[in-house]
Amino acid sequence: MTAPAIPAPAPASTGEMSRIRGWKTRRNAELGLLVFAMGLVAAFGATVEANQFDKINANFWVPAALIGVLFLGLHIVVRFTAPYSDPVLLPSVALINGIGVAFLRRLDIARALSRDLPVPGFFADTSGRQLAWTLLSLVLAAVLLLVLRDHKAITRYAYTLGLIGIVLMMIPAVLPAKYSEVNGAKLWIKFGGAFSIQPGEFAKIALVSFFAYYLVRKREVLSLASHRFLGIDFPRGRDLGPVLTVWLFSLLVLVFEKDLGTALLYFGLFIVTLYVATERSSWLIIGLLLFFGGVYVAYLLGSVVGGPFANFYDRAAVWLDPFSQANYEREGGSSYQLVQGLFGLGTGGMFGTGPGAGSPGRVPEVRNDFIFAGLGEEIGLFGLAALLVIYLLIVERGLHAALAVRDSFGKLVAGGLAFTLGLQIFVILGGITGLIPLTGQTTPFLSSGGSSLMANWLLIAMLLRISDAARRPGNVVADRPGGAPKKAPTQLHGAMTEVIKP
């Protein structure tokens, strides 16, 4: 009787897993959603023409088809470079971007008709420039996906990105007002009279990468508690250095760049990333106390001292009582823009006047800061709620990627980028609706302009890359009977992961 053969030992794991046969990439679902999104954009354009011209031209579908071809190009890149990425991200962003281009064309048509001018072509005026910016943004996103095949490679340049982010953040503050100030906020770098960029939009991506790398290395130290108060563990005093440093930078942005939204964006980004990395709710409490305390002191100094604090005081005074005659006619910055925006939202009501049937041109800066108010007049509360749901879906998919990816750095980067996008939407809508003082931020993917569009498409490309790493077969383990794959459980808080081995 022969002894049973002893099976050969399994080869050592290399940390990678070959592709599981039958594992769905969901790229066809992404393509279907993309076609549906462009159909909605075409329907928006047709409704605009029906209300503006009392007829629908035969070529109403051309703008949606043009922008659809651009998104199809990025979809093809994603299909080959990030095949397991989230299939919802690209169509959701494409829908918002397409609605933005269609609404800008609606404004171009209305302006031409009001001045008895010929209707501009598809590649002319503001909508044509936005279409060009969209093309450039999608090219940058595609290049990032082609070059960056592993998001962890960014850790090699974390400190360099941190320095670049700080420099980009501070350049507008040190430039003379004629080279950096627009509508009271110093957020721009102007090159002559025809071209300008907003470096802070790119700074947020660089700073997210740096914060994530720093907190992965220091999270154990920052998680230590010195004493407990009201059931909350508070950190040691000597660990407050990084928070105080970022807080000081945010106050410098508030004072010298004259924008509350940008200051809140940078400081909130760091505090939330710190909370995710350490699981200490005390960091949220400390951050809120520091920020709102600093803002209140800046408001008091603006009322007493003036100088660099005067602009913030004026904006806060307008916010507190926008309908007063004094604020409506205030020389340093009146409440006219805010009041017109509120009237536009009120005129739209629940269902809106219909695309092309309102008067959004009465709202100052409706192509930029107040595009949400202009849209609200025509699509109403229901339409705005639908747009907000799409934004919320994008943020949720980013957080889902953060939960699913294994490595700590990827968790913090995806979580930080998703939170940044959500906080920026809150800051913009809060200013338009009077919840917080007005800011100089633009609505992601909707507003006219190239800086915000390019930076936010790079943000989406990063989320696609991280979600691809999270959903690819190498991120699952076959621990069920019959070899059915099951994802390894992950934990976002503390950026810790656990892998169940069979």
Side-chain angles (χ1 to χ4, degrees):
M1 184 175 183
T2 58
I6 301 176
S13 174
T14 61
E16 298 182 359
M17 178 177 275
S18 60
R19 178 168 178 155
I20 299 177
R21 185 172 298 176
W23 189 263
K24 295 182 179 181
T25 63
R26 303 290 183 184
R27 297 277 64 83
N28 290 334
E30 178 182 82
L31 179 60
L33 289 173
L34 197 57
V35 172
F36 176 71
M38 293 304 100
L40 293 179
V41 174
F44 185 93
T47 309
V48 167
E49 292 197 357
N51 285 318
Q52 290 285 308
F53 306 126
D54 293 328
K55 65 176 182 178
I56 300 178
N57 295 317
N59 60 351
F60 76 93
W61 53 272
V62 173
L66 289 173
I67 197 170
V69 170
L70 302 184
F71 294 133
L72 179 61
L74 182 60
H75 164 76
I76 294 173
V77 173
V78 171
R79 184 177 284 267
F80 288 100
T81 61
Y84 296 99
S85 59
D86 195 301
V88 179
L89 280 172
L90 177 57
S92 300
V93 180
L95 175 58
I96 298 176
N97 198 162
I99 292 293
V101 174
F103 184 70
L104 291 174
R105 174 156 176 78
R106 175 260 181 275
L107 295 175
D108 293 341
I109 292 173
R111 181 167 58 181
L113 294 178
S114 66
R115 299 177 180 178
D116 294 327
L117 298 174
V119 175
F122 298 128
F123 300 100
D125 220 336
T126 309
S127 59
R129 290 194 297 271
Q130 190 71 358
L131 195 61
W133 283 121
T134 300
L135 172 61
L136 181 57
S137 302
L138 295 179
V139 169
L140 289 178
V143 169
L144 184 110
L145 289 171
L146 289 168
V147 173
L148 185 67
R149 295 306 180 101
D150 185 359
H151 62 273
K152 295 187 290 294
I154 301 176
T155 57
R156 305 171 191 169
Y157 314 101
Y159 288 104
T160 302
L161 289 173
L163 178 61
I164 291 173
I166 293 174
V167 171
L168 290 176
M169 181 175 64
M170 299 307 296
I171 284 177
V174 300
L175 288 176
K178 66 179 181 178
Y179 297 114
S180 62
E181 186 170 326
V182 176
N183 297 327
K186 297 184 64 177
L187 300 174
W188 302 84
I189 301 177
K190 293 190 283 188
F191 301 91
F195 180 71
S196 61
I197 63 172
Q198 192 172 354
E201 292 287 346
F202 301 95
K204 65 186 181 185
I205 301 177
L207 291 175
V208 166
S209 303
F210 168 70
F211 290 158
Y213 179 77
Y214 174 81
L215 292 172
V216 166
R217 295 171 61 91
K218 301 294 183 180
R219 67 168 180 259
E220 294 181 1
V221 175
L222 296 172
S223 298
L224 297 176
S226 62
H227 60 277
R228 192 175 182 86
F229 180 70
L230 296 178
I232 301 174
D233 294 322
F234 283 86
R236 301 177 300 178
R238 60 177 176 270
D239 296 330
L240 293 174
V243 176
L244 293 176
T245 301
V246 179
W247 173 69
L248 179 60
F249 269 112
S250 67
L251 289 184
L252 290 175
V253 169
L254 174 65
V255 173
F256 293 103
E257 295 191 359
K258 307 175 184 179
D259 187 63
L260 174 67
T262 304
L264 177 59
L265 190 65
Y266 292 146
F267 189 65
L269 165 64
F270 179 75
I271 292 298
V272 169
T273 310
L274 179 58
Y275 165 67
V276 171
T278 62
E279 293 185 85
R280 296 293 183 190
S281 57
S282 55
W283 286 118
L284 295 178
I285 298 174
I286 293 171
L288 289 173
L289 291 176
L290 284 174
F291 185 80
F292 288 111
V295 167
Y296 183 67
V297 171
Y299 174 76
L300 293 179
L301 290 175
S303 63
V304 176
V305 178
F309 304 96
N311 181 271
F312 174 68
Y313 174 77
D314 290 338
R315 290 202 175 199
V318 164
W319 165 64
L320 290 172
D321 190 6
F323 292 97
S324 71
Q325 190 70 20
N327 287 331
Y328 197 76
E329 299 174 352
R330 180 183 289 269
E331 185 176 349
S334 72
S335 62
Y336 176 78
Q337 183 184 26
L338 175 59
V339 170
Q340 290 297 112
L342 293 174
F343 282 154
L345 291 173
T347 302
M350 295 294 290
F351 302 101
T353 60
S359 302
R362 296 181 179 180
V363 181
E365 300 297 334
V366 70
R367 287 172 169 79
N368 302 308
D369 302 5
F370 269 67
I371 193 170
F372 225 84
L375 267 172
E377 180 182 355
E378 298 198 335
I379 64 176
L381 179 61
F382 278 17
L384 289 184
L387 276 180
L388 287 178
V389 168
I390 298 173
Y391 276 117
L392 182 62
L393 181 62
I394 297 170
V395 173
E396 185 273 332
R397 301 314 293 178
L399 293 177
H400 183 271
L403 284 166
V405 73
R406 286 186 174 188
D407 66 286
S408 303
F409 177 75
K411 287 180 179 295
L412 293 182
V413 170
L417 291 176
F419 173 78
T420 299
L421 185 62
L423 182 60
Q424 188 169 353
I425 297 298
F426 166 77
V427 166
I428 295 161
L429 289 184
I432 292 173
T433 58
L435 183 62
I436 62 174
L438 277 176
T439 70
Q441 297 291 316
T442 55
T443 310
F445 310 111
L446 272 179
S447 298
S448 171
S451 300
S452 176
L453 195 60
M454 288 188 292
N456 284 300
W457 268 110
L458 288 174
L459 183 153
I460 295 299
M462 278 295 299
L463 290 180
L464 287 171
R465 172 56 63 213
I466 295 174
S467 68
D468 175 70
R471 298 178 72 249
R472 68 173 52 252
N475 195 39
V476 300
V477 289
D479 60 349
R480 292 182 179 179
K486 176 183 177 182
K487 284 199 172 183
T490 58
Q491 180 182 357
L492 179 58
H493 291 307
M496 303 294 292
T497 57
E498 177 188 0
V499 181
I500 298 178
K501 296 181 180 179

